[in-house]
Amino acid sequence: MPDFDYQLVVIGSGPGGYVAAIRASQLGLKTAIVEKDKTLGGTCLNVGCIPSKALLASSEHLHFARERFAAHGIIANDIKLDLGAMMKRKCEVVNKLTSGVSYLMKKNKIEVVKGLGKLVDANTIEVVGDDGAKKKITAQNIILATGSVPVELPFLKFDGKRIISSDQGIALDKVPKSLLIIGAGAIGLELGSVWARLGAEVTVIEFLPRIAAVGFDAETSKILQRNLEKLGIKFELNTKVQAAKVTDSGVELSGENATGKVSYKADIVLVAVGRKPFTAGVDLDKAGVKLTEKGRIAVNGHLQTNVPNIYAIGDVTDGPMLAHKAHEDGVAAAELIAGKPGHVNYNLVPGVIYTAPEAASVGITEEQAKEQKLDVRVGKFAFTANGRAIANDTTEGFAKIIADAKTDRVLGAHIVAGNASELIAETVLLMEFSGSSEDLARTIHAHPTMSEAVKEAALAVDGRMLSA
Ligand code: FAD
Ligand code: NAI
């Protein structure tokens, strides 16, 4: 066997790539990671999950202070926003985590090679540094973890000022008076919440008939919409934007909905209509790596591309574009390369939208159960009847469990609650072990906790709720 510089080279240091590198190193593989950006951590840590959650937390505190402090007996007059300080804190959170990844690379003896990684052939990568310097490294195995970038609309090219993507939507230096958001998915609803709480007039335009339509059930969409409207966000559903005019003072959009032609004006337009795989500059063709029809890197059940020693993981491959999916892909790919039985259960990837309340979902929705003509029983419990939710002042939402009518196996869970992102975990675990609603209903949950509502929803599958 020829000698290689490394047993594994990972291209891209997002939650897919850096996790793959750590797992490979734990399994004894000599590993390097190539990253073109200044800091490690990819979209998630630099411009995605983490900065958006930092801003969601800060803006939620502001909103809570303004709207609910008085009811809690806290007198704090003249509460003001210091956007600069909020953004500074966000940057500190990001720095802490991206330097944490650098530390993990050192700790695990993973070589970090800075620059754009280009395939020369199936075992050679050329890394081009910012200064143009080139370096070739060879690898027995390669993992492509190059992630994704925002989708642009043909008539709304990003200019970074008036027409922006989430990359700028997390870093505005002043609160826009008016913000139009195209797309009512995770980014539209999360960043819409941030800027509405900070004082912008936010309108979200969506061409589907409901918000959060992908992966979330219809009842979730309804409750989210009601709560976001309370924040002042306006929704224009079933609406197609077709043209845009950028002026010195803002942007004018025109399009149509069921009633005819429509038009909107705003200071800034945030386009949040999805992300697309990023493979520019990797020169996949040099190694003969093939793409799917949708432009993602094609992989088999072992995350292997058509070139057997080249693997691909995360957003650049099929499946939901989520950090935890990329993370699990990374672990599995590293284990498979090391000769271990790596595996990801793609049926159980939870989805969360971090609005207030949060929406979390795993498995099938009620609508999918109907479409697939599955015989199911559904149990639901509202947080208005949960003691902890009342004490915490977070009673919006519900927990819903969908179970097979004959076997009682849980097929889906949907939770809308202040901390739904945490509550969904026990249902994912239950489903991973093919558990039933009876298993969940008979599991002791500490009192008083929001998680008791999840147990009550499981009891409700059999019509025996104890608290409502
Ligand atoms: P990425 O994180 O995109 O990382 C790819 C890396 O590869 C980048 O660092 C890039 O610079 C590098 N790279 C690309 N090409 C090359 C090359 N040729 N050479 C060297 N380096 C290269 N997901 C969640 O699960 N939860 C959330 O709350 C969440 N919030 C989000 C909020 C926003 C605003 C956005 C935009 C996304 C969010 N996501 C969230 C999605 C999440 O960020 C992605 O699913 C995740 O980052 C994908 O990880 P990845 O490793 O596949 O790719
Ligand atoms: P998305 O796919 O979640 O939502 C896009 C929305 O835009 C959909 O509702 C779609 O119907 C709508 N849309 C598409 N084209 C349109 C058009 N021309 N006019 C009007 N509406 C249109 O994509 P989003 O929100 O941009 O997020 C990108 C990726 O990042 C997603 O994969 C998402 O999962 C991930 N992400 C995850 C988060 C989380 O897990 N909390 C947070 C933010 C992003």
Side-chain angles (χ1 to χ4, degrees):
M1 197 183 352
D3 263 357
F4 297 105
D5 298 329
Y6 300 96
Q7 286 166 293
L8 173 64
V9 171
V10 182
I11 305 185
S13 72
Y18 85 75
V19 167
I22 293 173
R23 187 70 190 116
S25 171
Q26 284 174 346
L27 292 169
L29 302 183
K30 188 180 178 207
T31 304
I33 191 162
V34 182
E35 173 56 58
K36 67 176 173 54
D37 286 352
K38 284 197 176 60
T39 50
L40 303 181
T43 303
C44 180
L45 269 58
N46 289 283
V47 289
C49 327
I50 296 302
S52 60
K53 265 79 250 176
L55 291 178
L56 278 158
S58 300
S59 61
E60 200 174 342
H61 291 321
L62 179 73
H63 184 72
F64 192 81
R66 284 187 171 148
E67 301 294 319
R68 300 298 305 159
F69 265 16
H72 287 255
I74 305 166
I75 309 302
N77 294 320
D78 202 21
I79 292 165
K80 284 196 192 122
L81 166 68
D82 179 346
L83 184 64
M86 195 179 278
M87 289 293 172
K88 184 170 168 266
R89 176 186 174 272
K90 176 209 72 175
C91 292
E92 284 163 6
V93 170
V94 168
N95 289 343
K96 189 165 190 163
L97 287 162
T98 54
S99 14
V101 176
S102 297
Y103 161 77
L104 288 172
M105 296 300 105
K106 264 196 207 101
K107 184 182 164 213
N108 287 284
K109 302 188 171 46
I110 296 157
E111 179 142 358
V112 177
V113 186
K114 285 284 174 74
L116 182 75
K118 291 168 162 295
L119 294 174
V120 175
D121 58 42
N123 295 101
T124 313
I125 297 146
E126 181 177 75
V127 184
V128 186
D130 273 354
D131 56 359
K134 292 179 180 168
K135 175 180 175 178
K136 273 192 186 146
I137 52 178
T138 58
Q140 189 178 352
N141 297 287
I142 294 171
I143 295 181
L144 301 168
T146 52
S148 63
V149 289
V151 168
E152 205 170 41
L153 289 171
F155 53 88
L156 263 178
K157 299 274 183 210
F158 295 125
D159 64 14
K161 288 196 170 68
R162 294 276 179 205
I163 300 172
I164 63 170
S165 72
S166 55
D167 290 357
Q168 295 85 36
I170 53 155
L172 300 179
D173 56 8
K174 70 174 204 260
V175 179
K177 191 170 169 319
S178 50
L179 174 67
L180 277 169
I181 299 180
I182 306 184
I187 292 183
L189 301 180
E190 291 183 5
L191 293 185
S193 298
V194 167
W195 292 108
R197 288 170 189 156
L198 300 185
E201 286 165 21
V202 176
T203 304
V204 179
I205 303 173
E206 165 63 55
F207 66 30
L208 293 176
R210 65 181 172 99
I211 70 168
V214 185
F216 293 87
D217 82 357
E219 216 169 351
T220 298
S221 301
K222 221 159 108 189
I223 297 217
L224 278 196
Q225 185 169 341
R226 193 179 72 209
N227 278 279
L228 294 170
E229 280 170 349
K230 275 196 226 158
L231 264 187
I233 300 181
K234 291 197 189 93
F235 289 98
E236 299 287 333
L237 304 178
N238 289 306
T239 303
K240 208 171 166 185
V241 180
Q242 289 152 326
K245 204 166 97 194
V246 181
T247 64
D248 284 346
S249 60
V251 190
E252 285 175 36
L253 298 183
S254 53
E256 59 186 21
N257 64 19
T259 62
K261 299 265 180 233
V262 286
S263 63
Y264 309 92
K265 274 189 190 161
D267 293 346
I268 292 180
V269 176
L270 166 63
V271 181
V273 297
R275 294 176 61 85
K276 59 179 184 188
F278 181 73
T279 52
V282 199
D283 289 347
L284 294 177
D285 52 319
K286 295 269 172 66
V289 174
K290 293 207 172 103
L291 298 177
T292 64
E293 271 176 19
K294 291 193 170 155
R296 302 216 193 178
I297 297 179
V299 290
N300 64 18
H302 283 177
L303 297 157
Q304 237 168 347
T305 67
N306 58 305
V307 183
N309 70 314
I310 302 185
Y311 294 70
I313 60 171
D315 280 13
V316 79
T317 60
D318 264 342
M321 288 185 170
L322 293 172
H324 42 283
K325 182 264 185 187
H327 176 124
E328 295 303 329
D329 278 356
V331 171
E335 289 178 346
L336 288 161
I337 290 168
K340 307 257 177 228
H343 174 70
V344 182
N345 183 355
Y346 293 108
N347 293 321
L348 292 183
V349 181
V352 177
I353 299 184
Y354 295 80
T355 41
E358 296 176 347
S361 158
V362 64
I364 61 163
T365 61
E366 269 191 272
E367 293 75 43
Q368 285 166 340
K370 268 191 206 114
E371 276 160 30
Q372 295 169 29
K373 297 193 171 48
L374 299 176
D375 191 8
V376 295
R377 293 197 300 170
V378 178
K380 205 181 121 185
F381 188 84
F383 281 94
T384 42
N386 174 269
R388 185 68 184 279
I390 295 169
N392 281 358
D393 197 6
T394 55
T395 51
E396 280 293 337
F398 62 84
K400 186 192 280 185
I401 300 292
I402 303 171
D404 184 284
K406 284 195 193 71
T407 64
D408 194 36
R409 182 175 171 172
V410 173
L411 303 175
H414 303 277
I415 303 175
V416 179
N419 58 346
S421 54
E422 307 289 346
L423 295 175
I424 200 74
E426 73 163 317
T427 62
V428 182
L429 183 66
L430 177 83
M431 290 168 73
E432 192 68 56
F433 285 93
S434 308
S436 63
S437 78
E438 189 65 22
D439 291 327
L440 182 48
R442 288 193 180 274
T443 301
I444 302 175
H445 288 66
H447 176 76
T449 57
M450 305 273 287
S451 71
E452 286 172 293
V454 181
K455 174 191 165 99
E456 287 280 354
L459 282 165
V461 169
D462 194 35
R464 38 184 241 268
M465 278 186 292
L466 295 167
S467 313

